[in-house]
């Protein structure tokens, strides 16, 4: 029988990659999270220890707070920047967009080290202002992940709807909240998803800029794995996966609701 190549066979490498590097590691994490370190038997002891230790819960809440603050600051800064970049009147050759994307080409550890040197020179060292230095570093590193999806979304906006809103008597503020903001909501949701969860799980930025004075959830996961406590580290990683799933579910539902409202208008 003669073998005939079909295009669906091109998905085989991707499926193998997905199986080996996504599905299998997730099952390994689940296995360690629900087993005892000493006996290897099925147990909920890791969950009990996690919620019984106030430090673990406190680190998680602090990490969520940093994630919210970083996301809001990136959106407040990135949204007007993306609007300017998407306006052909101000950005005609797209070179300015490239300037915002270029830092992403450099390893973030190198960027973070350079940020620490600049902040130290400005008198905002992690030893004296750990929270401020960490927030500045987080915003600097994740801001391009907000600008790019917002920029691409704004390029696809229907300008006729914006002009129609103005013709119908809406002032610039009303036109922004009733027309422009709903059309850019998919970009906002995408940007928030790309910033919030990575902020919680990051630890290099906080460790370097705060000089280990700010501990995020990712630092604790790395700590337990470094100490060969795979069971408790896997439990914390599983908590992180659950938070990612919840955030994706909420943002998708929120995006659908806003898209429906935008279509009505």
């Amino acid at each position: 029988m003669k073998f005939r190549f079909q295009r669906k066979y091109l998905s085989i490498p991707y499926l193998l990659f997905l199986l080996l590097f996504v599905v299998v590691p997730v099952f390994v994490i689940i296995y360690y999270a629900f087993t005892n370190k000493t006996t290897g038997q099925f147990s909920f002891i890791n969950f009990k220890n996690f919620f019984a230790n106030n430090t673990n819960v406190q680190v998680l809440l602090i990490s969520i707070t940093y994630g919210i603050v970083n996301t809001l600051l990136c959106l407040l800064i990135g949204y007007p920047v993306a609007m300017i970049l998407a306006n052909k009147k101000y950005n005609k050759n797209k070179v300015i967009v490239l300037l915002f994307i270029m830092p992403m080409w450099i390893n973030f550890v190198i960027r973070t080290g350079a940020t620490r040197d600049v902040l130290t020179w400005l008198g905002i060292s992690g030893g004296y202002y750990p929270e401020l230095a960490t927030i500045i570093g987080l915003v600097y590193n994740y801001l391009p992940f907000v600008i790019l999806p917002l920029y691409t979304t704004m390029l696809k906006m229907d300008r006729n709807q914006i002009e129609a809103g103005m013709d119908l008597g809406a002032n610039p503020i009303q036109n922004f909240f009733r027309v422009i903001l709903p059309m850019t909501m998919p970009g906002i949701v995408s940007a928030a998803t790309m910033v919030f969860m990575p902020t919680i799980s990051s630890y290099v930025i906080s460790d370097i800029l705060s000089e280990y004075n700010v501990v995020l959830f990712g630092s604790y996961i790395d700590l337990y794995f470094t100490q060969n406590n795979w069971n408790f580290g896997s439990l914390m990683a599983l908590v992180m996966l659950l938070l990612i799933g919840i955030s994706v579910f909420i943002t998708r539902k929120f995006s659908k609701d806003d898209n429906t409202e935008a279509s009505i208008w």
Side-chain angles (χ1 to χ4, degrees), residues 156-170:
K156 302 175 183 178
M157 286 194 305
D158 188 356
R159 305 293 174 180
N160 294 327
Q161 294 187 29
I162 301 176
E163 295 176 359
M166 300 296 291
D167 294 338
L168 292 173

Side-chain angles (χ1 to χ4, degrees), residues 16-248:
L16 290 176
F17 178 87
L18 187 66
L19 178 64
L20 294 176
F21 296 101
V22 178
V23 177
V24 173
V26 168
F27 276 103
V28 171
I29 289 175
I30 294 175
Y31 167 77
Y32 277 106
F34 287 96
T35 53
N36 193 309
K37 180 181 179 181
T38 56
T39 62
Q41 296 179 347
F42 178 82
S43 174
F44 289 98
I45 188 63
N46 296 318
F47 284 89
K48 180 181 178 181
N49 293 337
F50 176 80
F51 290 103
N53 191 333
N54 293 330
T55 303
N56 296 327
V57 179
Q58 184 179 4
V59 170
L60 178 60
L61 294 177
I62 291 175
S63 301
I64 293 175
T65 303
Y66 271 92
I68 295 174
V69 172
N70 185 36
T71 303
L72 292 177
L73 289 176
C74 287
L75 287 174
L76 289 175
I77 299 173
Y79 198 96
V81 172
M83 289 191 68
I84 296 174
L85 295 178
N87 194 328
K88 296 181 180 180
K89 179 180 178 181
Y90 303 105
N91 184 27
K92 298 181 179 180
N93 52 15
K94 298 182 176 58
V95 174
I96 303 179
V97 179
L98 184 63
L99 294 178
F100 282 94
I101 299 176
M102 283 180 63
M104 298 171 60
W105 299 349
I106 305 173
N107 184 278
F108 81 98
V109 178
I110 299 177
R111 296 200 310 266
T112 304
T115 305
R116 178 191 58 187
D117 295 338
V118 173
L119 292 179
T120 302
W121 179 73
L122 294 174
I124 313 177
S125 64
Y128 295 99
Y129 308 98
E131 294 84 5
L132 179 59
T134 300
I135 287 294
I136 293 175
L138 290 171
V139 171
Y140 168 71
N141 278 277
Y142 289 104
L143 186 61
F145 294 98
V146 170
I147 294 177
L148 190 57
L150 286 174
Y151 168 74
T152 55
T153 302
M154 290 176 181
L155 287 178
K156 302 175 183 178
M157 286 194 305
D158 188 356
R159 305 293 174 180
N160 294 327
Q161 294 187 29
I162 301 176
E163 295 176 359
M166 300 296 291
D167 294 338
L168 292 173
N171 58 46
I173 297 178
Q174 292 175 331
N175 201 37
F176 173 77
F177 285 103
R178 303 296 290 272
V179 181
I180 298 177
L181 190 62
M183 286 194 294
T184 58
M185 190 56 64
I188 295 176
V189 172
S190 176
T193 304
M194 296 174 65
V195 172
F196 178 70
M197 291 311 302
T199 300
I200 297 177
S201 60
S202 65
Y203 60 94
V204 175
I205 297 174
S206 59
D207 288 349
I208 294 177
L209 294 181
S210 71
E211 298 180 10
Y212 299 95
N213 290 309
V214 174
V215 180
L216 298 183
F217 202 67
S219 299
Y220 256 42
I221 296 176
D222 175 69
L223 175 64
Y224 284 109
F225 279 122
T226 303
Q227 295 177 348
N228 291 324
N229 193 344
W230 288 77
N231 301 81
F232 200 78
S234 297
L235 181 276
M236 300 188 73
L238 184 60
V239 171
M240 180 66 61
L241 289 176
L242 292 176
L243 289 175
I244 293 174
I246 293 172
S247 65
V248 170

